Amino acid sequence: SNVGMVKIMNKMNASNYWQWLKRLGIDEIPETDLPGAVRGQIKSKQIFINQPIEPAVASFGQGFSITPLKLAQLHALIANGGKLVIPHITKGLKGDYQSFSDSLPESKQVLSPEVTKTVLEWMETVVEKGSGMDATVPGYRIGGKTGTAQKSQDGKNYDSKICSFVASLPINDPRFVVLVVVDEPSKSFAYGSTVAVPVAKKIIETLLVIEKIPPSIDRQEHLASKS
C-alpha cells in the first residue's frame, strides 16, 4: 500500500531516513568482482529533508534509482539476518561454490536479525496470498516481492515500465535470492506479478531440483510452533 507506506514514513525523522538510505549504499557502487557494476542515485540530503514529497515517494520506491545488482544484494541482506554480503562470481553451481576471488571482505551487520526475520515472514505472505502467488511451489516456504516501476527517458513523461519480482527461499533456511527484472514489457497489463513472477518460478523450480533442497516445514506447523 503506497498510502500505508507514506503514513509510516511520516512518523520517521527525514534526516534519519536519508541516513539509512546512505547506510544501505543505494548510491554506491557495490564491492563486487562483477564487471560493469554502477551506482544508484538518491536525492541530496538537503532536498530530501526540505521537500516533504521526497521521503513520501521514497517510501514506496520512487524518487531514487537502484540497480538490479543492488536490489539483489539488499534482499540477500534480509535473507542473511541483516548481514550485507558482497556479490561475487562463482565458478559454477557445484561443490562449495568456489569464488573467483581468493578472499572476500567480511560481511557487515547492518540490520538486526529480529527485524529481517519479520520482513521475511511478511514477504512469505506475498507468495501465500498476495501478488506473488504464482511463484508458489507446494511444500516450500518462499517469500517474495513484486515491483512495477514507471520509467522515464526525459524525466517528464512516464510511458513505459520496469517489472520485477524478487524471491528468497527457503524462508526457514534461506539459501537463494532470485531476482527477475523485465525492462519495458510489451504485454498488456504488464506488472511484476504477470511478467516477472512466471519467469522466477521456473528458476526457483530448477534450483530446488539442482540443489536437492528438501521440502520446508509445513507452514501451519511453523505457525503452531510460534504460538
Side-chain angles (χ1 to χ4, degrees), residues 81-145:
K83 291 184 178 180
L84 189 66
V85 176
I86 303 302
H88 64 279
I89 302 171
T90 63
K91 292 182 179 178
L93 293 174
K94 295 181 179 179
D96 297 326
Y97 296 89
Q98 291 179 305
S99 170
F100 280 119
S101 301
D102 293 329
S103 60
L104 294 172
E106 185 175 347
S107 301
K108 296 185 294 184
Q109 191 75 42
V110 178
L111 300 175
S112 71
E114 294 78 16
V115 168
T116 57
K117 183 175 183 293
T118 298
V119 174
L120 276 178
E121 291 179 350
W122 287 345
M123 290 173 61
E124 186 173 12
T125 67
V126 174
V127 176
E128 286 183 336
K129 54 185 178 183
S131 57
M133 285 182 64
D134 286 344
T136 300
V137 178
Y140 291 89
R141 294 181 58 195
I142 300 169
K145 181 68 184 75

Side-chain angles (χ1 to χ4, degrees), residues 18-129:
W18 186 87
Q19 290 289 356
W20 267 102
L21 292 176
K22 289 288 289 185
R23 187 177 181 185
L24 292 173
I26 300 294
D27 60 342
E28 297 176 0
I29 299 175
E31 295 181 63
T32 178
D33 47 15
L34 183 68
V38 298
R39 70 181 77 244
Q41 294 180 330
I42 59 175
K43 300 294 174 59
S44 70
K45 186 174 183 179
Q46 182 179 7
I47 292 175
F48 194 89
I49 293 175
N50 294 323
Q51 298 186 14
I53 188 65
E54 294 300 337
V57 297
S59 70
F60 54 84
Q62 294 192 0
F64 66 92
S65 65
I66 188 171
T67 65
L69 179 64
K70 189 65 184 181
L71 184 59
Q73 183 190 34
L74 292 179
H75 276 273
L77 165 75
I78 297 171
N80 280 303
K83 291 184 178 180
L84 189 66
V85 176
I86 303 302
H88 64 279
I89 302 171
T90 63
K91 292 182 179 178
L93 293 174
K94 295 181 179 179
D96 297 326
Y97 296 89
Q98 291 179 305
S99 170
F100 280 119
S101 301
D102 293 329
S103 60
L104 294 172
E106 185 175 347
S107 301
K108 296 185 294 184
Q109 191 75 42
V110 178
L111 300 175
S112 71
E114 294 78 16
V115 168
T116 57
K117 183 175 183 293
T118 298
V119 174
L120 276 178
E121 291 179 350
W122 287 345
M123 290 173 61
E124 186 173 12
T125 67
V126 174
V127 176
E128 286 183 336
K129 54 185 178 183

Side-chain angles (χ1 to χ4, degrees), residues 134-135 137 142 164-167 169 178-181 192 195-207:
D134 286 344
V137 178
I142 300 169
S164 63
F165 179 68
V166 60
L169 66 146
V178 174
L179 172 62
V180 173
V181 180
V195 298
V197 169
V199 179
K201 182 174 182 178
K202 292 182 179 180
I203 297 171
I204 291 169
E205 290 177 327
T206 302
L207 272 175

